[in-house]
Amino acid sequence: MKQQLDVVSDNRCFGGQQKVYEHDSAVLNFRMKFAVYVPDNLEGPAPVLYILGGMSSSEQTFIQKSGFQRWAAHYGIIVVSPDVCPRVTFGVEKNEIEAKGLSFYVNAVKKPWNRNYQMYSYVNEELPSIIQENFNVNKDRQSIMGHSMGGHGALISALKNPGKFRSVSALAPVCNPSKTPDIQFILKCYFGDDTKTMEEWDATCLVADYKGPELNILIHQGNNDKYAEQLKLENFISACEKAGIEISVNIEEGYDHGFYFISSFMEQHFHHHSKFLCGS
């Protein structure tokens, strides 16, 4: 049965429509928002790119700060950007995980998080199904990208679903969360002290055992990123090299972790995805 979508906003942008919808998510047991950018004059089912936001983001962040619509319109790509987590509150006051949206795009198994924090299933199953039912997209031409925590979500989505995404890219991604103390604390809320389970949701651990078609990975990170130690990009690069997986990594002089950095390299990421989504 086709799910009911309620329009939150609809704005003209770069010769297309930037829309935000709200719906009841069966996977997350919560009412969720997601953004969809639809360029004008698409010919037939269009390719689709999913963009995952980082901590303290929402469905509004990328659509307002990154300027991606210019490149989505140029290449004729529909872009979907969901909220980073369900906005449920478990106590009187939000704790850090709730306040900053630290879902890490995993499926939690521990209470109380397991009832709502199933963002991996939402991003990879429920949301694509909704998009395919309601928009003229080509389900065989989809890619995924993200920033920071969302970069981690993009990487694990591609690694855990061989062949589902034609390409994957990330801007300053969290790459090895199970080896990062500050993030381990968050993962323990979702998985307990089970290190093996944490590693099943860790891009650096997953890539070592990847068996599937070429991933077509592009990564940018600034050399002035104050979170570099937590991102552990070098661990992911090393794991890719050991596994014989090609990866294009660009370390950019003087750039930090924020949206000035992101918007500066958005064109390169859309060009990357267009090669696999559009044949351009």
Side-chain angles (χ1 to χ4, degrees):
M1 185 169 128
K2 196 171 183 179
Q3 190 167 142
Q4 174 67 39
L5 302 182
D6 296 321
V7 178
V8 176
S9 61
D10 186 354
N11 299 96
R12 191 76 177 150
C13 186
F14 283 104
Q17 296 302 128
Q18 178 61 72
K19 303 183 180 186
V20 175
Y21 293 91
E22 195 170 40
H23 73 109
D24 293 318
S25 168
V27 168
L28 302 178
N29 293 297
F30 204 76
R31 193 156 177 80
M32 291 292 289
K33 292 179 181 177
F34 64 87
V36 179
Y37 179 73
V38 183
D40 283 355
N41 304 318
L42 296 175
E43 296 181 3
V48 57
L49 174 64
Y50 292 87
I51 299 183
L52 307 183
M55 62 187 290
S56 300
S57 295
S58 73
E59 81 288 341
Q60 292 291 326
T61 310
F62 257 90
I63 67 177
Q64 292 187 15
K65 293 184 176 182
S66 71
F68 76 77
Q69 294 93 340
R70 175 182 181 180
W71 306 110
H74 176 76
Y75 289 112
I77 298 172
I78 290 175
V79 178
V80 180
S81 185
D83 199 353
V84 301
C85 73
R87 299 295 168 173
V88 61
T89 301
F90 296 118
V92 177
E93 295 183 0
K94 286 191 174 185
N95 62 28
E96 185 180 24
I97 291 176
E98 297 166 85
K100 294 185 177 179
L102 302 177
S103 69
F104 277 89
Y105 299 95
V106 303
N107 284 347
V109 298
K110 278 191 67 181
K111 293 181 180 180
W113 305 100
N114 60 341
R115 172 171 167 76
N116 306 104
Y117 275 57
Q118 303 291 312
M119 282 299 293
Y120 171 81
S121 291
Y122 180 71
V123 166
N124 287 279
E125 297 167 16
E126 186 178 28
L127 185 57
S129 177
I130 291 169
I131 297 302
Q132 290 162 23
E133 287 177 351
N134 291 276
F135 300 90
N136 191 19
V137 298
N138 185 337
K139 66 180 182 179
D140 296 321
R141 289 182 176 268
Q142 57 183 359
S143 293
I144 192 165
M145 67 175 286
H147 168 237
S148 194
M149 179 185 76
H152 171 261
L155 290 172
I156 65 170
S157 293
L159 288 163
K160 291 171 82 72
N161 295 277
K164 182 170 186 171
F165 300 103
R166 293 201 169 198
S167 51
V168 56
S169 74
L171 294 139
V174 174
C175 293
N176 200 184
S178 69
K179 302 301 182 187
T180 306
D182 289 347
I183 301 176
Q184 279 179 352
F185 165 77
I186 298 162
L187 296 182
K188 284 181 179 181
C189 292
Y190 300 145
F191 305 123
D193 295 322
D194 187 349
T195 303
K196 189 176 186 306
T197 301
M198 287 185 197
E199 291 177 351
E200 292 172 359
W201 298 95
D202 184 309
T204 296
C205 300
L206 288 170
V207 80
D209 297 319
Y210 178 78
K211 301 290 188 295
E214 190 173 355
L215 288 165
N216 304 313
I217 304 173
L218 172 67
I219 292 177
H220 279 77
Q221 183 174 305
N223 73 346
N224 198 28
D225 191 321
K226 66 180 182 180
Y227 300 110
E229 178 57 32
Q230 296 181 36
L231 303 179
K232 297 194 181 302
L233 175 58
E234 67 281 0
N235 292 5
F236 185 70
I237 294 171
S238 178
C240 286
E241 289 174 350
K242 289 178 182 177
I245 293 175
E246 290 189 17
I247 176 173
S248 175
V249 177
N250 302 272
I251 305 299
E252 302 295 345
E253 182 70 28
Y255 286 90
D256 58 21
H257 195 74
F259 270 84
Y260 293 119
F261 156 67
I262 292 169
S263 57
S264 296
F265 299 100
M266 193 55 59
E267 178 184 2
Q268 286 90 325
H269 282 252
F270 268 80
H271 179 69
H272 169 75
H273 291 297
S274 75
K275 291 186 292 184
F276 306 100
L277 292 175
C278 312
S280 61

